[in-house]
Amino acid sequence: MIAVQRGRIDIAAVVDSVRRQDAGAVVLFLGTVRADLGVAALDYEVYRPMAIRRMTDLVDRAKAKFGVLGVSIVHRLGRVPVGGDSVAIACSAAHRKEAFAACGWAMDEVKRIVPIWKAEAVKAPKAARRPRRSGA
Amino acid sequence: MRVRVKLFATYREIVGRRELAWPIHAGDTIGTVVDGLVVKHPGLGPFRDTMLLAVNEEFAHADVALADGDEVAIMPPVSGGIA
């Protein structure tokens, strides 16, 4: 499974996509939006066709390099709030060592060669927020 | 002859457009297009040496020659995933 999508990531579907009878290990990595000071969300921008090409290529390379059986990568596009999942990578392998290694390597490659950019969406200052009405 | 230039993230904000048509002449390279864009949009100048470039969805060096109808992408260093 390779996807760039606006909607939330179905983690169970990502994991299931790499399950195989000859696999003895499945490793799942989730990148989540951290609550850095003033950050309310991250906005992701993607050059979609090239991102899909690069992700497809890196999945093939992960299989060749680590001997993993299945690799899936799903990345969010648009706004992801603090605590949300921005990227999911799942790798299955006969043994856990290859699955862990491939998963870490794949995430590094996503950050290195997949054309995706993020921008911080900052929290509005309190004075600018609309006051809540009581009893609503 | 012309190419389509796609701009992303900071560069899109500087130019004010996601995509534009750019005239080229025989022998022009990606570098030629970038040089022209920097002249027209000086705000791109400080990023000239760190731009990622692609032609028809493949990373490319500035000296790659362009053909009519090519899609050129000018991109900041990528920053997907999480910190």
Side-chain angles (χ1 to χ4, degrees):
Chain A
M1 176 190 286
I2 292 169
V4 175
Q5 62 187 49
R6 285 196 181 274
R8 61 176 284 281
I9 299 171
D10 182 342
I11 303 303
V14 176
V15 171
D16 286 345
S17 70
V18 299
R19 287 187 189 280
R20 299 208 4 189
Q21 299 239 329
D22 49 350
V26 173
V27 168
L28 170 70
F29 171 81
L30 295 178
T32 59
V33 177
R34 189 177 52 236
D36 285 346
L37 189 64
V39 173
L42 291 178
D43 289 320
Y44 288 92
E45 180 174 342
V46 179
Y47 182 14
R48 187 194 288 270
M50 188 168 170
I52 296 292
R53 275 188 185 220
R54 295 275 67 81
M55 288 159 75
T56 303
D57 176 62
L58 87 83
V59 164
D60 290 342
R61 286 190 294 130
K63 289 177 179 174
K65 185 178 175 72
F66 299 95
V68 285
L69 302 168
V71 180
S72 285
I73 305 172
V74 180
H75 204 297
R76 289 287 298 274
L77 162 67
R79 180 155 295 192
V80 182
V82 163
D85 302 323
S86 53
V87 58
I89 300 178
C91 297
S92 62
H95 305 284
R96 68 183 185 282
K97 192 174 176 184
E98 304 93 271
F100 274 118
C103 208
W105 178 86
M107 186 60 237
D108 288 345
E109 285 295 282
V110 166
K111 291 188 72 70
R112 192 176 72 86
I113 58 154
V114 179
I116 299 176
W117 302 272
K118 63 174 177 284
E120 292 180 350
V122 296
K123 289 177 182 168
K126 281 186 177 174
R129 285 185 188 163
R130 197 173 170 181
R132 278 187 196 169
R133 289 181 186 174
S134 60
Chain B
M1 296 195 296
R2 59 178 49 195
V3 293
R4 282 186 299 136
V5 179
K6 294 175 91 74
L7 298 146
F8 295 91
T10 310
Y11 306 162
R12 169 179 49 74
E13 291 170 5
I14 290 169
V15 174
R17 297 187 50 186
R18 292 179 185 279
E19 185 174 325
L20 45 88
W22 193 265
I24 59 166
H25 303 94
D28 277 2
T29 63
I30 307 178
T32 316
V33 171
V34 171
D35 290 344
L37 274 168
V38 170
V39 169
K40 193 168 179 183
H41 303 278
L44 292 173
F47 304 103
R48 181 71 179 80
D49 294 335
T50 52
M51 290 173 172
L52 291 179
L53 306 170
V55 177
N56 300 329
E57 301 171 6
E58 294 289 348
F59 286 117
H61 291 291
D63 59 359
V64 167
L66 296 173
D68 187 36
D70 278 348
E71 179 177 287
V72 175
I74 301 176
M75 307 171 279
V78 302
S79 64
I82 34 73

